[in-house]
Amino acid sequence: MGQENKTQTWVREFILLGLSSDWKMQVFLFVLVLTMYLVTLVGNVLILLLIRLHSRLQNPMYFFLSVLSFVDLCYSNSFAPQMLAHLLSARKSIPFYSCVLQLYISLGLGGSEFFLLGAMAYDRYVAVCHPLHYTVIMHGQLCLGLAAGCLVVGFTNSLMETIITFRLPLCHSVINHFACETLAVLRLACVDVSFNKVMVAISGFLVIMLPCFLVLFSYVRIVAAILNIRSAQGRSKAFGTCASHLTVVCMCFGATIFTYLGPQSASSEEEEKMVALFYALVAPMLNPMIYSLRNKEVMAALQKVLEKF
């Protein structure tokens, strides 16, 4: 135990292996990541501005969308700047406490986003199944409470998982990842991590599957309500209000369930990096596109802004 504590105290920084050791590939990845990062910033900031400036977008659906865009912005910023710096650096290091902070923030934002998607599914359920009472049920205080609750639950879960991860004695300081991530850090431990893996599984169930069940329940009720609509135009309009959210749900939940709850294999470390990259950069980049291109109100608001310029 003394040796384990000594080893744990010795770790002052971690070395990240990143996505590739080939210089040409790193330059290509730098250009790719920078492009995706800039598109993410522009897209999500534009969504926030449109919702803030246009009165037609001042309703619960767009309130939750603005919170989602804010979370996506913060999530990308917790990874992308460091990744860009490391892609052009020979030595990819991160201080111990910066690694702890990155893991805490990324887990907190990721967990918050899952619960937020669940709250957005409930919003769509109320809009489709109880349209006459929508504004009464989804009042401002409830929306603020749901958004705050999502953040509190996400960061509370992240705090517990971060603490039990970094309390382990570590024998190595080289992380086979482009960022500090729970499963990658657990592989550095000197001791058996069965307890931690069980806790990660429980955390994954609570943070991923509970919102997923809420989404499934909401959409079962939504589909049943849509099928009862007699006119084809009415069914199309009702489904159109949910299509963007359902696309984002499938994309985000699918990637994370594959990473944390899927079967482990010999190539799981590389697969985890690819899925983490998708969730850190691709999903936040695509979310504004999905919500804007499939939403007539957002496109109309964007057109008005462009006409002013």
Side-chain angles (χ1 to χ4, degrees):
M1 181 62 69
Q3 181 65 31
E4 289 174 352
N5 291 335
K6 182 179 178 180
T7 304
Q8 184 182 21
T9 305
W10 178 80
V11 177
R12 292 290 182 268
E13 65 177 11
F14 296 100
I15 303 299
L16 302 173
L17 296 183
L19 296 171
S20 174
S21 59
D22 181 73
W23 173 247
K24 292 183 179 180
M25 178 59 68
Q26 290 187 68
V27 173
F28 169 76
L29 289 172
F30 176 84
V31 175
L32 179 63
V33 170
L34 179 61
T35 302
M36 295 168 64
Y37 180 52
L38 293 176
V39 173
T40 299
L41 292 180
V42 172
N44 285 285
V45 169
L46 186 59
I47 288 290
L48 289 171
L49 289 176
L50 289 175
I51 294 174
R52 178 68 179 85
L53 296 175
H54 288 270
S55 58
R56 292 188 63 183
L57 303 182
Q58 302 293 322
N59 61 51
M61 173 182 171
Y62 295 108
F63 167 76
F64 287 118
L65 177 57
S66 66
V67 178
L68 179 65
S69 292
F70 176 76
V71 169
D72 281 341
L73 275 174
C74 295
Y75 194 86
S76 292
N77 281 314
S78 69
F79 286 108
Q82 173 196 277
M83 194 186 308
L84 290 170
H86 283 175
L87 285 171
L88 298 182
S89 303
R91 191 171 188 272
K92 303 172 177 57
S93 63
I94 179 173
F96 178 85
Y97 288 107
S98 296
C99 184
V100 174
L101 183 62
Q102 184 182 66
L103 180 64
Y104 170 69
I105 292 176
S106 62
L107 284 176
L109 292 170
S112 300
E113 181 160 335
F114 289 123
F115 283 101
L116 184 61
L117 290 172
M120 294 173 74
Y122 175 72
D123 171 71
R124 293 298 82 207
Y125 158 72
V126 176
V128 174
C129 299
H130 304 282
L132 299 180
H133 302 91
Y134 177 64
T135 56
V136 176
I137 297 175
M138 300 301 297
H139 54 82
Q141 290 184 345
L142 177 62
C143 293
L144 286 173
L146 288 174
C150 293
L151 292 172
V152 169
V153 173
F155 278 94
T156 300
N157 173 78
S158 174
L159 179 63
M160 293 187 293
E161 189 167 331
T162 302
I163 290 174
I164 65 171
T165 297
F166 283 99
R167 283 174 60 88
L168 292 170
L170 305 177
C171 288
H172 310 284
S173 60
V174 179
I175 300 177
N176 186 15
H177 211 283
F178 60 82
C180 293
E181 192 266 350
T182 303
L183 298 179
V185 174
L186 288 180
R187 295 189 181 100
L188 309 181
C190 304
V191 296
D192 180 61
V193 294
S194 299
F195 171 77
N196 294 76
K197 289 183 177 180
V198 171
M199 294 303 297
V200 169
I202 295 174
S203 172
F205 177 83
L206 295 176
V207 174
I208 301 172
M209 300 310 297
L210 287 183
C212 186
F213 290 148
L214 177 59
V215 171
L216 289 175
F217 172 79
S218 298
Y219 275 100
V220 167
R221 301 294 298 272
I222 289 172
V223 170
I226 291 176
L227 293 178
N228 288 329
I229 299 175
R230 295 183 179 181
S231 66
Q233 183 179 1
R235 287 195 296 268
S236 177
K237 182 179 180 180
F239 181 75
T241 63
C242 306
S244 299
H245 175 257
L246 190 57
T247 303
V248 172
V249 164
C250 294
M251 181 174 62
C252 293
F253 278 92
T256 308
I257 289 174
F258 174 83
T259 304
Y260 289 98
L261 304 180
Q264 299 295 310
S265 63
S267 60
S268 61
E269 292 184 32
E270 298 304 317
E271 291 173 354
E272 287 168 14
K273 286 195 283 186
M274 293 300 102
V275 174
L277 181 65
F278 170 85
Y279 192 66
L281 289 175
V282 179
M285 179 185 69
L286 292 180
N287 285 350
M289 299 181 186
I290 294 171
Y291 276 103
S292 60
L293 294 177
R294 299 184 64 92
N295 192 299
K296 294 181 180 180
E297 291 181 334
V298 174
M299 292 301 294
L302 177 60
Q303 186 176 358
K304 289 182 180 179
V305 171
L306 294 177
E307 287 175 353
K308 290 182 180 180
F309 291 94

